[in-house]
Amino acid sequence: MSAPTTAGQRWTLRGTHTEYTVTVPAHGRWLELVAWGPHGVSDGPSPVAYDGPVPFLTTGDAAPIEYATDADRPFTGADLVVETPAGQRRVGFGHTDVLADADQRELAVGFADPVTGLRATVHYRVPVGTDVVQRWVELTNAGTGPLRVVRAGSAGFCVPTPHGALLSHQWGQWAQEFQLSHVELGHGTFSIGSTQGVPGHLHVPWLAVRDTAEPAGPTWGVALAWTGSWEISAERDTGGLTRLRVGRQLVDGPLELAPGDRLTLPVVTGAYSPDGLDGLARVWHTHQRLLAGTRLTPRPVLYNSWEATYFAVEAESQLALAKIAADLGVETFVVDDGWFVGRGDDTAGLGDWTPDPAKFPAGFDAFIAEVRGLGLNFGLWVEPECVNPRSRLYAEHPDWVYAVDGRPLTPVRNQYLLDLGRPEVADFVHSTVDGLLRRYDIDYLKWDFNRPRTEPGRPGGVAPLDLDGAHVANLHRIYERLRRDHPGVLIEACAGGGARTDLAMAARADVFWPSDNTGPLDRLAIQHGFLHANAPHLLSSWVTDAPGLFDQRPRTLAFRFVLAMAGVLGIGADIRAWTPAQRSEAAGWIARYKEIRDVVTHGEAYLIGGPDQARCAVQYVAPDERRVVVLAWHTGRLDGAGSLPARPVRLPLRGLDPAARYRHGDQHYSGSHLSAVGLPVQWSPTHDADLIVLHRD
């Protein structure tokens, strides 16, 4: 039960190596950050406090407020804006109570507005074994009249950047997701977001900030657990403080809050590392591994038929692929788009989730049994939130798609989007997928989503409606029910590639498909960005024959395999066309991956260099520190004689015991040598990637 507190009281939340301290100032109007960083950072003067004059502005505009209304920060950006039916704003809170646990891991601070009756509880949680702080807000209309939530931020984070803010974010487009970029923000505001009803390809709901004078030093980051429209902004003031504002973007208009209604806003997670972006990546990895819980196990090597057959799916060709895949050592065979009735191309069939008897004349059950008889698990592609106009489902339920009365529908990829917020649609989607999993022997589900929402309406619906929020809530519920009822089925989240990757999905899916682009050098850049925000167990990566869309320089089969080993190894090439030598090489790489995937799944990852640098590698250190796995790639030209350097590249390794000895073949190195001098790697036109395993003596 919450208890009243005295003004000026402080609370400290403690992570494994970090702490987060907040206080309610004497006036009691808001919650304020004292310090966020390594243990002990809260001792002494606050690194974010501002005690000087604020002429022409309010005190709140300069204060490190944790959750600000537009009365607290009327000029420099509030987290929460609420208005009455008459359009009156400026909700102002007073502190009421607090609930803090004895373990310094959870905190709930209450506030209330005496005019409207709006109550807000600001929540904090530090999961055990992490250096992240989860934050969210619960709003309750305890007044007598309705309210409208105009801006619904979940949190504000304040970071000291005395010399300027160096922001790191990830931008992209379809087939070019997770492009890591950096912006120096001296003053003013930087913002990213999505209005597509999904996180989107254009930006990732993730942002990191450092002081420009210490780019390899203290680094703070935020990520949003929300699978709909979102926004993140960073504003640096003249006092050297950068404030990050994170939350939903209300694309459907204000949220209605009737008397007695309660609204829980999405969780925002803040992370801290003293070791730059690379260290921050490991903080995110640790957190996501804990989100996975008991489902964090090495993923099976899979084969997906899409790039081999596209829509020309039928039993004979699929079984031919499956037999070869089994010989290579693949463990799961996934049939992609094209297996259901009416699906000869992307213009028809979506919504009619019945196996096509013409493509599987002996029956789908018999086909799956043949695949499993090869020693393979079986997986299936679905896109249950979308529907083609040419389908039985759309003919029967045209009112189930998002639409604005009197306005034409916008097809994207020849399909419309189902209004998942409608209970009957959510029931259909769940029962469809649940029915497939109960009817057939399926171990793996690839859930795709190939279009954003365009028409923000519901036919005959009573406005306003929170369509975005209802869709996301039902999507999450369906994933949770499927995982509860089918715990042995792995779920891969895909959205035309990486358009649906956020912390909420990381807690509900087992793996992400980061991009439809499988070209090796394009994919190297994609995976480099992805691993800054996501753990390797979430990274699905295929070996294919694709040249790439943006960088088509040739790369060996070895390069493609070593690249795909950085996460969850898959194959998507037409392996029927591979030569015996290629198949033999592939089988060797798959066997080697099986020897190291436990380290990739559970080990600490260190990102070395980058795709635009001479050195590009990922290093994984096993939890017991007995093995170190290094995946390295040469990123230069390979299309001419003598185009590669004759001297070896040195890869400086990290996270090693300087006094320990490490063995690779006949070579022995000290940990201090590998850290200071580096591990030598020799490139040649036929050797453009390497997998190195070091064993600690």
Side-chain angles (χ1 to χ4, degrees), residues 49-66:
Y50 183 75
D51 299 322
V54 283
F56 206 71
L57 296 177
T58 71
T59 302
D61 287 308
I65 301 178
E66 289 285 274

Side-chain angles (χ1 to χ4, degrees), residues 123-125 127 133-137 154-155 157 205 222-226 246-248 264-270 287 291 502-504 508:
H123 290 269
Y124 297 81
R125 181 196 300 127
V133 55
Q134 296 175 310
R135 295 183 51 190
W136 71 99
V137 173
S154 291
F157 292 86
V222 294
L224 182 62
W226 182 249
V246 192
R248 291 185 57 182
T264 300
L265 298 174
V267 173
V268 184
T269 302
H287 174 54
L291 287 177
D502 66 276
L503 285 180
R508 293 168 174 85

Side-chain angles (χ1 to χ4, degrees), residues 291-652:
L291 287 177
T294 58
R295 297 177 71 93
L296 181 64
T297 57
R299 310 303 192 214
V301 179
L302 67 82
Y303 180 85
N304 184 291
S305 66
W306 174 247
E307 292 197 22
T309 61
Y310 295 100
F311 294 104
V313 172
E314 44 76 32
E316 184 177 354
S317 64
Q318 297 295 304
L319 287 171
L321 290 165
K323 289 172 183 176
I324 300 170
D327 290 341
L328 297 179
V330 166
E331 296 159 311
T332 296
F333 184 83
V334 181
V335 174
D336 209 278
D337 196 354
W339 58 269
F340 45 98
V341 293
R343 193 64 166 173
D345 53 32
D346 67 6
T347 65
L350 280 184
D352 302 339
W353 300 104
T354 302
D356 190 337
K359 296 183 176 184
F360 304 96
F364 204 49
D365 274 320
F367 166 72
I368 295 174
E370 285 200 64
V371 172
R372 299 185 71 87
L374 297 169
L376 296 166
N377 291 330
F378 182 75
L380 197 64
W381 176 96
V382 294
E383 191 177 2
E385 296 161 81
C386 292
V387 61
N388 286 124
R390 290 173 53 202
S391 66
R392 184 179 68 253
L393 178 68
Y394 185 71
E396 294 174 354
H397 300 286
D399 56 322
W400 279 13
V401 303
Y402 287 109
V404 177
D405 285 332
R407 303 294 182 185
L409 294 175
T410 304
V412 177
R413 199 177 181 255
N414 300 305
Q415 61 198 53
Y416 301 141
L417 182 60
L418 294 175
D419 181 354
L420 195 63
R422 297 176 65 135
E424 64 273 29
V425 174
D427 288 343
F428 167 79
V429 170
H430 172 262
S431 63
T432 295
V433 180
D434 181 70
L436 288 169
L437 297 179
R438 293 182 187 277
R439 173 70 178 83
Y440 301 108
D441 202 352
I442 297 171
D443 307 276
Y444 192 96
L445 192 71
K446 185 180 178 76
W447 184 309
D448 210 342
F449 180 90
N450 278 301
R451 59 151 297 159
R453 191 185 62 172
T454 47
E455 280 64 50
R458 180 176 295 170
V462 178
L465 296 169
D466 181 17
L467 300 171
D468 193 55
H471 194 118
V472 172
N474 280 342
L475 176 73
H476 289 171
R477 290 189 193 103
I478 292 169
Y479 264 72
E480 290 160 7
R481 290 180 66 186
L482 292 175
R483 285 178 57 152
R484 181 197 67 200
D485 297 336
H486 308 279
V489 176
L490 295 177
I491 303 179
E492 175 185 333
C494 174
R500 205 181 232 176
T501 55
D502 66 276
L503 285 180
M505 291 304 288
R508 293 168 174 85
D510 298 292
V511 67
F512 287 144
W513 179 239
S515 180
D516 288 341
N517 187 345
T518 59
L521 287 172
D522 288 352
R523 192 59 175 244
L524 183 64
I526 291 166
Q527 294 185 181
H528 178 72
F530 182 93
L531 288 172
H532 277 81
N534 298 282
H537 76 272
L538 292 167
L539 172 62
S540 177
S541 190
W542 297 352
V543 176
T544 74
D545 299 319
L549 297 176
F550 301 94
D551 190 334
Q552 298 185 356
R553 288 176 292 167
R555 282 298 181 268
T556 65
L557 189 62
F559 187 104
R560 295 167 186 265
F561 265 100
V562 174
L563 178 62
M565 290 182 187
V568 179
L569 174 62
I571 300 176
D574 187 351
I575 50 180
R576 297 169 299 184
W578 280 6
T579 66
Q582 287 176 309
R583 294 182 189 180
S584 176
E585 181 182 354
W589 284 116
I590 290 171
R592 294 188 70 185
Y593 176 73
K594 291 176 181 178
E595 295 173 353
I596 66 163
R597 62 180 165 186
D598 61 320
V599 181
V600 174
T601 301
H602 298 287
E604 281 208 327
Y606 295 81
L607 305 173
I608 301 170
D612 57 348
Q613 301 176 27
R615 292 184 295 210
C616 185
V618 183
Q619 170 197 339
Y620 306 84
V621 180
D624 63 2
E625 301 181 353
R626 303 304 303 174
R627 283 181 296 163
V628 179
V629 174
V630 181
L631 307 177
W633 306 276
H634 179 69
T635 58
R637 297 179 63 85
L638 284 175
D639 53 0
S643 61
L644 290 173
R647 62 184 63 88
V649 171
R650 295 277 180 170
L651 299 175

Side-chain angles (χ1 to χ4, degrees), residues 50 187 236-241:
Y50 183 75
H187 300 287
R236 186 171 184 273
D237 64 20
T238 54
L241 188 71

Side-chain angles (χ1 to χ4, degrees), residues 29-270:
R29 290 169 50 198
W30 57 65
L31 195 61
E32 206 167 281
L33 179 67
V34 175
W36 178 20
H39 286 163
V41 71
S42 302
D43 300 336
S46 167
V48 295
Y50 183 75
D51 299 322
V54 283
F56 206 71
L57 296 177
T58 71
T59 302
D61 287 308
I65 301 178
E66 289 285 274
Y67 194 67
T69 71
D70 57 346
D72 304 329
R73 291 173 63 89
F75 305 114
T76 53
D79 305 297
L80 178 69
V81 177
V82 176
E83 66 181 19
T84 67
Q88 297 174 329
R89 298 186 177 183
R90 294 295 188 262
V91 164
F93 285 133
H95 174 52
T96 56
D97 51 43
V98 68
L99 179 63
D101 76 331
D103 294 331
Q104 296 183 295
R105 295 200 174 275
E106 293 197 46
L107 177 69
V109 186
F111 294 86
D113 175 32
V115 176
T116 63
L118 181 66
R119 293 182 175 273
T121 303
V122 183
H123 290 269
Y124 297 81
R125 181 196 300 127
V126 175
V128 175
T130 72
D131 285 305
V132 304
V133 55
Q134 296 175 310
R135 295 183 51 190
W136 71 99
V137 173
E138 187 177 83
L139 300 173
T140 304
N141 184 355
T144 58
L147 297 172
R148 289 195 294 263
V149 180
V150 178
R151 175 177 291 167
S154 291
F157 292 86
C158 296
V159 174
T161 53
H163 303 93
L166 178 59
L167 306 178
S168 297
H169 66 107
Q170 296 180 42
W171 62 272
Q173 58 182 323
W174 175 79
Q176 196 183 22
E177 300 90 334
F178 303 104
Q179 303 299 301
L180 188 63
S181 188
H182 314 285
V183 175
E184 287 195 19
L185 186 67
H187 300 287
T189 301
F190 171 87
S191 64
I192 53 177
S194 168
T195 60
Q196 297 179 353
V198 288
H201 295 88
L202 302 181
H203 301 286
V204 177
W206 172 95
L207 187 72
V209 59
R210 299 162 279 171
D211 188 81
T212 54
E214 295 185 89
T219 305
W220 295 263
V222 294
L224 182 62
W226 182 249
T227 318
S229 300
W230 59 276
E231 58 182 346
I232 298 176
S233 67
E235 181 182 26
R236 186 171 184 273
D237 64 20
T238 54
L241 188 71
T242 296
R243 191 170 193 274
L244 310 178
R245 186 163 52 81
V246 192
R248 291 185 57 182
Q249 187 161 183
L250 302 182
V251 293
D252 297 313
L255 305 179
E256 299 295 310
L257 206 60
D261 280 357
R262 180 176 297 174
L263 173 66
T264 300
L265 298 174
V267 173
V268 184
T269 302

